[in-house]
Amino acid sequence: MERTLAVKLWSFFNFFILTYGCYAEAYYGIHYIPINIATALDALCPVASSILSWVKMVSIWWYQDELKSLIQRVRFLTEEQQKSERKLDYKKRFYTLATRLTFLLLCCGLSTSTSYSVRHLMDNILRRAHGKDWIYETPFKMIFPDPLLRLPLYPITYILVHWHGYITVVCFVGADGFFLGFCLYFTVLLLCLRDDVEDLLEVKNIEEIPTEEQEARIIWKMERLVDRHNEVAELTERLSGVMVEITLAHFVTSSLVIGTSVVDILLFSGLGIIVYVVHTCAVGVEIFLYCLGGSHIMEACSDLARSTFSSHWYGHSVRVQKMALLMVARAQRVLTIKIPFFSPSLETLTSY
């Protein structure tokens, strides 16, 4: 999309809404800690997700040129692998998986944000049904000047706070979609590399000695495959550098959100329990997607090593054998998205 003035103003408006929402929620929660811990946690639980989304938005903006470069390079490399139905099937399968899982996360996030608004509306409808006054609060607990919580400005404030929840969702889904998508794209590149190595080293008759011309052609192609493997490793390192802040902040805040959500489930009743169960499930889906993406890359590397070692590398010249074994050794050092303290994978997730 072209960055017209209207687009820039709309982006600034959404950024301002998200920023002020983070401040207002955090201020409300901290203010109520000595007064009412349940009310304070009701504000601090969603503010952790809001602050995380703010961090993700700023990180994507800061690394936008690097992300654009990564996208263009991955697109170029995957388009080169569209010469066979098998490789097209890899691309279709994993790209579809990335789209569906990101959409699932979007649905979970929208459900969580909407549940906060529905809870507030239902609570006030029940209050009115019992003859009590409407409580002029927002879906997410925030500090506002008194005039904004009175008629006629209250509906506008309510809508903006509700919109703040959706901005939070879109920001973290966009960043998480980047992470999962890149992981699955790298998996496709590794699977295509595995197939090319198998096809190149295949020997129909092990007793037949390849000619020097055939070996020279195999050596040249093998060098290209080694270069492709090195480039995928380099792209993974670049992605780790871009995503390190986002991923680390995500796992830290997710533990806080899950912890406060469990406490809120114990403190609240009725619709409050449903809200925090939905919120916990959404955070759980986020963590699962990060670990799933990391696991796919690790499994693709291991599969490349096994497949190369199981090929007919021993039926070629010594130079080709050395290159094949070098690729096996390199692939055994599985590629990971490195962040401080750990690397996200399903194995890591199930070990805690």
Side-chain angles (χ1 to χ4, degrees):
M1 178 184 293
E2 184 181 355
R3 296 177 182 177
T4 61
L5 179 61
V7 172
K8 292 179 180 178
L9 290 175
W10 177 245
S11 300
F12 177 79
F13 170 77
N14 288 306
F15 181 76
F16 174 79
I17 293 295
L18 180 61
T19 303
Y20 183 82
C22 293
Y23 159 76
E25 280 184 293
Y27 189 96
Y28 188 103
I30 295 172
H31 175 74
Y32 269 87
I33 286 177
I35 302 172
N36 188 326
I37 189 63
T39 303
L41 289 176
D42 197 20
L44 293 176
C45 181
V47 76
S49 296
S50 298
I51 293 174
L52 176 61
S53 292
W54 187 90
V55 171
K56 290 180 177 181
M57 176 186 282
V58 172
S59 295
I60 290 176
W61 173 80
W62 183 262
Y63 292 111
Q64 58 181 313
D65 293 333
E66 180 69 7
L67 286 170
K68 183 179 179 181
S69 175
L70 280 170
I71 292 171
Q72 291 175 344
R73 189 56 189 167
V74 169
R75 179 183 297 157
F76 175 79
L77 292 175
T78 53
E79 287 177 352
E80 283 188 333
Q81 310 305 318
Q82 296 181 2
K83 300 177 182 179
S84 69
E85 289 295 327
R86 183 173 50 180
K87 295 179 180 179
L88 283 174
D89 182 65
Y90 293 151
K91 185 175 180 180
K92 180 180 179 181
R93 177 154 52 92
F94 282 98
Y95 285 22
T96 302
L97 178 63
T99 302
R100 289 176 176 174
L101 291 178
T102 304
F103 180 72
L104 172 63
L105 181 59
L106 177 63
C107 291
C108 291
L110 294 177
S111 299
T112 301
S113 181
T114 302
S115 65
Y116 279 92
S117 298
V118 171
R119 180 189 65 168
H120 181 265
L121 290 174
M122 292 300 297
D123 287 343
N124 277 296
I125 290 173
L126 292 175
R127 287 179 60 86
R128 295 292 296 171
H130 289 84
K132 298 180 181 179
D133 294 332
W134 187 284
I135 298 178
Y136 288 96
E137 289 184 341
T138 52
F140 302 96
K141 307 294 185 183
M142 295 184 183
I143 291 290
F144 284 102
D146 289 340
L148 295 179
L149 296 178
R150 298 174 187 163
L151 295 175
L153 296 179
Y154 174 70
I156 299 176
T157 304
Y158 194 96
I159 291 172
L160 290 177
V161 172
H162 182 71
W163 183 245
H164 156 82
Y166 286 156
I167 297 173
T168 299
V169 171
V170 171
C171 286
F172 75 67
V173 170
D176 297 347
F178 267 130
F179 182 90
L180 177 65
F182 275 120
C183 288
L184 295 184
Y185 301 160
F186 295 160
T187 300
V188 171
L189 293 176
L190 290 170
L191 292 178
C192 293
L193 178 62
R194 178 201 65 185
D195 290 350
D196 289 341
V197 171
E198 282 185 340
D199 295 341
L200 179 63
L201 298 180
E202 183 180 6
V203 177
K204 296 181 179 180
N205 186 357
I206 195 65
E207 297 180 356
E208 182 179 339
I209 301 176
T211 63
E212 292 185 2
E213 182 179 350
Q214 291 175 332
E215 280 297 292
R217 180 180 60 83
I218 292 175
I219 290 173
W220 181 83
K221 289 186 176 181
M222 196 66 184
E223 289 175 346
R224 303 286 81 76
L225 295 178
V226 170
D227 290 340
R228 276 171 52 190
H229 190 203
N230 291 336
E231 183 166 13
V232 174
E234 180 187 351
L235 291 174
T236 306
E237 289 290 335
R238 290 173 59 186
L239 180 65
S240 298
V242 171
M243 289 291 180
V244 60
E245 294 91 352
I246 292 177
T247 311
L248 180 60
H250 174 82
F251 279 91
V252 172
T253 56
S254 293
S255 61
L256 296 175
V257 170
I258 293 176
T260 53
S261 294
V262 172
V263 174
D264 285 330
I265 290 172
L266 299 175
L267 294 177
F268 287 89
S269 60
L271 292 175
I273 295 178
I274 299 176
V275 169
Y276 288 106
V277 168
V278 173
H279 197 166
T280 303
C281 291
V283 174
V285 170
E286 279 188 278
I287 295 175
F288 173 76
L289 294 189
Y290 273 86
C291 295
L292 180 67
S295 289
H296 271 298
I297 295 181
M298 295 170 67
E299 291 173 1
C301 288
S302 299
D303 197 21
L304 173 62
R306 288 193 300 268
S307 178
T308 303
F309 187 75
S310 300
S311 66
H312 297 149
W313 57 271
Y314 46 82
H316 296 274
S317 64
V318 174
R319 185 175 178 183
V320 174
Q321 292 179 19
K322 289 181 178 180
M323 295 174 70
L325 294 178
L326 179 63
M327 179 171 286
V328 171
R330 181 69 183 273
Q332 285 179 328
R333 295 187 300 170
V334 294
L335 303 178
T336 57
I337 307 298
K338 299 177 182 178
I339 60 174
F341 311 119
F342 72 102
S343 297
S345 66
L346 293 178
E347 182 180 359
T348 304
L349 178 63
T350 55
S351 64
Y352 286 96

